[in-house]
Amino acid sequence: MKLFTNDEIRAIERYTVEQEGVSLAELIERVAEGVTDEICARWRSDKPTIIFAGPGNNGADALAAARLMCERGFRPSVYLFNIGGNKLSADCAAQRDRLIGEHPDVDFTEVMKSFDMPQLNSNYLVVDGLFGSGLSQELKGGFRSLVQNVNDEKATVVSIDVPSGMFSDWNPHIVNRDTVHATLTLAIQFPRLCFFIPDNAELIGEWKVIDIGLSQQAISQSPVSFCLVEKRDVWHRLHHRKEFSSKADFGSAILYSGSYGMMGASVLAARGALRSGVGKLTVCAPKCGYSILQTSVPEAMFHYNHGEMNITEIRPERSFNAIAIGPGIGTNEFTVKALEDFLASINQPVVLDADALNCIALKPTMLNTIPVLSILTPHAGEFDRLFGPQTSGEARLRTAIEKAKYYNIFIVLKGHYTAIVRPDGKVYFNSSGTPAMATPGSGDVLTGVLMAMLAQGYPAELASLIGVYVHGLAGELAAAEHGEYGVLAGDIADNIGRAIKEIMTMK
């Protein structure tokens, strides 16, 4: 799914109106119908309800929704903010007149000067139609006080478009207290970029998209920098295996992983790779890992490293289709040197995860020798060790975009919506996954999956997109069996094959 910036959405709306003959009034009606349907599906009509409408088209949406809610039996109190008078957009004024004309008994207040805050409590439903994505500056004065009061009363809040006080795209200076804390955000036509930033989760709450029928031609023809990866996107890209296939057709991979006390990471990464269909897998680990690997993952070949307890050299003895380094290797000085020497000598993309990233953080000059189109898979802590402390999740993502371009690499920034940041500046947010995957070793499994996809011939941009989605779906399948608390990384690895099957057999 394409994710559009606010300006791009406005351009699609204009195209819909100008080229397809759909009026703004009709679009407002579609928004209102979607909002009303969602509210009526969740709450009874006798729930005490207050609707706050701003002077622009977000307010028009809220007023139209108020009218339709009245038709469904709700008795909302409606507040329209027209501070100073004559500040309403034409569509907002038209919706005001229609609401009053069709429902003269509605509890309606047009606020032009002072405003007495209505009494709220946790039993109330508040519909936030103050500003949405039309906001051009941070909230001030009375509007900021209004938002703070709504937040303090802990009412159930439905925000139309985006929570008022928030911008659709980037929010570098957002103050949470000065922004509506929505229980439910009903986005118009598309989810917004801000929905995928972890800092904003408590402000957005649950989100859902209302389809208002904007021009499909404009949508398909508009290039974007951001996308949401969904199951069908992966289905289109996964290859079915030919009848006459052998393991030689699915690539060979080598995994440098493990150290004394951390061989489990090696096992998990190896199992992730094998369940993802790699043709041949070699695990290169210190000698202390021999019995563990041969027993736990007999399907993989073991190649012992010269170190007894740690990896002390990274020097593939032959050509491999994919190379991954990092799970459980530690940051021993000999391991750091081995990684430094390897990166200086290789020109093939590699997957770098976990302790490989921590080794690079100890010697940042290695960043300059990472092969182009390599895949780095940091979580927030590893990212900050690599590229410096970040003040927020949004700052971290923006830095990732900058660094991926600069070093010509892929950065898989792990999280609830894992962001696959490409060297061309595009970002793909992953839609699969579950909080149950916040468990030790989950990232090691992902390393194996990514390596396996590279080995099978998928280029880095597809390997990362497919691998991250499959990994997340495997986590969902594991959670369905073991529950949110009970998932182990091994359960995720065990479900990789089932996840791929589910994707490939979808209709």
Side-chain angles (χ1 to χ4, degrees):
M1 177 194 294
K2 290 181 175 180
L3 300 177
F4 295 95
T5 65
N6 201 46
D7 288 343
E8 291 164 345
I9 292 171
R10 294 289 175 263
I12 293 170
E13 288 178 348
R14 287 194 300 272
Y15 183 95
T16 303
V17 171
E18 295 168 3
Q19 301 299 321
E20 298 190 358
V22 180
S23 67
L24 281 174
E26 175 59 25
L27 293 179
I28 290 169
E29 198 70 14
R30 294 176 187 178
V31 173
E33 289 172 357
V35 170
T36 304
D37 287 345
E38 196 63 37
I39 289 175
C40 290
R42 293 172 183 248
W43 295 284
R44 293 165 55 97
S45 60
D46 59 358
K47 188 172 183 64
T49 303
I50 291 180
I51 297 176
F52 293 121
N57 282 357
N58 193 240
D61 296 335
L63 293 174
R67 171 171 45 81
L68 296 180
M69 289 172 66
C70 288
E71 294 172 4
R72 305 272 191 102
F74 281 80
R75 291 294 176 263
S77 297
V78 182
Y79 292 85
L80 171 61
F81 290 88
N82 184 17
I83 306 300
N86 299 318
K87 301 294 184 180
L88 304 183
S89 70
D91 288 291
C92 188
Q95 290 298 334
R96 174 200 59 189
D97 297 342
R98 187 174 178 187
L99 171 62
I100 296 171
E102 295 183 15
H103 299 279
D105 59 340
V106 68
D107 181 9
F108 178 83
T109 303
E110 186 165 351
V111 181
M112 296 187 179
K113 293 182 180 180
S114 61
F115 168 66
D116 293 326
M117 181 72 185
Q119 292 297 313
L120 292 174
N121 57 50
S122 59
N123 292 324
Y124 272 78
L125 171 65
V126 173
V127 178
D128 162 31
L130 289 171
F131 294 105
S133 59
L135 192 68
S136 59
Q137 59 184 351
E138 296 175 11
L139 295 184
K140 299 177 181 178
F143 284 118
R144 182 166 61 187
S145 298
L146 170 61
V147 166
Q148 290 174 354
N149 284 329
V150 170
N151 292 338
D152 289 342
E153 297 302 331
K154 308 297 182 186
T156 299
V157 179
V158 175
S159 287
I160 301 174
D161 204 9
V162 298
S164 292
M166 173 176 285
F167 302 111
S168 291
D169 304 331
W170 302 108
N171 290 270
H173 306 299
I174 195 168
V175 177
N176 283 15
R177 178 167 166 73
D178 299 343
T179 304
V180 167
H181 289 219
T183 310
L184 171 67
T185 298
L186 297 176
I188 300 172
Q189 192 68 53
F190 313 100
R192 303 303 196 256
L193 173 59
C194 64
F195 292 5
F196 303 96
I197 308 297
D199 317 318
N200 301 330
E202 68 172 310
L203 306 176
I204 293 161
E206 177 191 353
W207 61 266
K208 188 171 182 178
V209 172
I210 296 173
D211 186 347
I212 63 168
L214 294 183
S215 169
Q216 288 301 311
Q217 182 173 346
I219 291 170
S220 63
Q221 292 178 352
S222 300
V224 293
S225 296
F226 303 94
C227 291
L228 179 66
V229 179
E230 299 177 297
K231 185 182 292 186
R232 187 161 295 277
D233 299 317
V234 180
W235 175 75
H236 279 300
R237 291 164 172 82
L238 270 171
H239 303 150
H240 283 274
R241 294 189 167 189
K242 296 178 181 178
E243 292 293 332
F244 293 92
S245 297
S246 74
K247 64 183 180 183
D249 296 314
F250 305 115
S252 62
I254 186 166
L255 169 67
Y256 288 87
S257 58
S259 60
Y260 183 77
M262 292 195 289
M263 288 309 304
S266 187
V267 171
L268 292 167
R271 288 171 62 189
L274 289 163
R275 288 292 186 189
S276 301
V278 67
K280 292 178 282 187
L281 174 64
T282 300
V283 179
C284 187
K287 293 179 182 179
C288 67
Y290 174 76
S291 296
I292 297 171
L293 262 299
Q294 291 294 86
T295 304
S296 301
V297 197
E299 300 88 350
M301 294 177 285
F302 182 87
H303 179 79
Y304 74 86
N305 202 264
H306 287 290
E308 292 284 343
M309 303 295 181
N310 300 91
I311 286 177
T312 58
E313 69 172 20
I314 302 174
R315 192 178 302 157
E317 295 180 352
R318 61 182 180 83
S319 176
F320 289 89
N321 299 106
I323 301 170
I325 307 170
I329 64 174
T331 55
N332 178 281
E333 62 178 310
F334 296 106
T335 305
V336 175
K337 183 64 167 64
L339 180 61
E340 182 181 23
D341 292 343
F342 170 77
L343 292 178
S345 64
I346 191 75
N347 57 11
Q348 173 184 350
V350 295
V351 179
L352 297 171
D353 178 40
D355 280 331
L357 304 177
N358 292 329
C359 288
I360 295 171
L362 292 173
K363 204 159 188 180
T365 54
M366 279 193 267
L367 282 168
N368 297 310
T369 60
I370 294 174
V372 298
L373 304 184
S374 290
I375 303 174
L376 279 62
T377 64
H379 57 56
E382 291 163 344
F383 184 91
D384 288 8
R385 284 192 284 275
L386 271 177
F387 300 114
Q390 306 297 310
T391 57
S392 65
E394 179 176 303
R396 190 170 294 111
L397 176 59
R398 298 183 81 156
T399 299
I401 295 170
E402 172 192 328
K403 298 300 182 182
K405 286 181 180 179
Y406 182 81
Y407 292 109
N408 200 12
I409 56 176
F410 291 84
I411 297 177
V412 176
L413 188 55
K414 294 183 287 195
H416 174 48
Y417 293 108
T418 291
I420 303 160
V421 185
R422 300 177 10 157
D424 62 2
K426 292 185 177 180
V427 178
Y428 288 75
F429 294 102
N430 183 54
S431 66
S432 66
T434 162
M437 299 175 71
T439 187
S442 176
D444 301 320
V445 176
L446 176 60
T447 297
V449 177
L450 294 172
M451 174 179 64
M453 293 300 167
L454 285 174
Q456 291 172 82
Y458 294 98
E461 61 267 23
L462 291 185
S464 54
L465 184 150
I466 294 168
V468 170
Y469 187 89
V470 166
H471 179 253
L473 181 56
E476 292 178 19
L477 295 174
E481 180 179 358
H482 298 285
E484 195 171 78
Y485 281 63
V487 171
L488 303 178
D491 302 323
I492 300 172
D494 289 343
N495 278 283
I496 294 293
R498 295 187 185 96
I500 294 173
K501 178 183 177 181
E502 181 173 312
I503 294 167
M504 298 192 76
T505 55
M506 72 173 289
K507 294 181 181 180

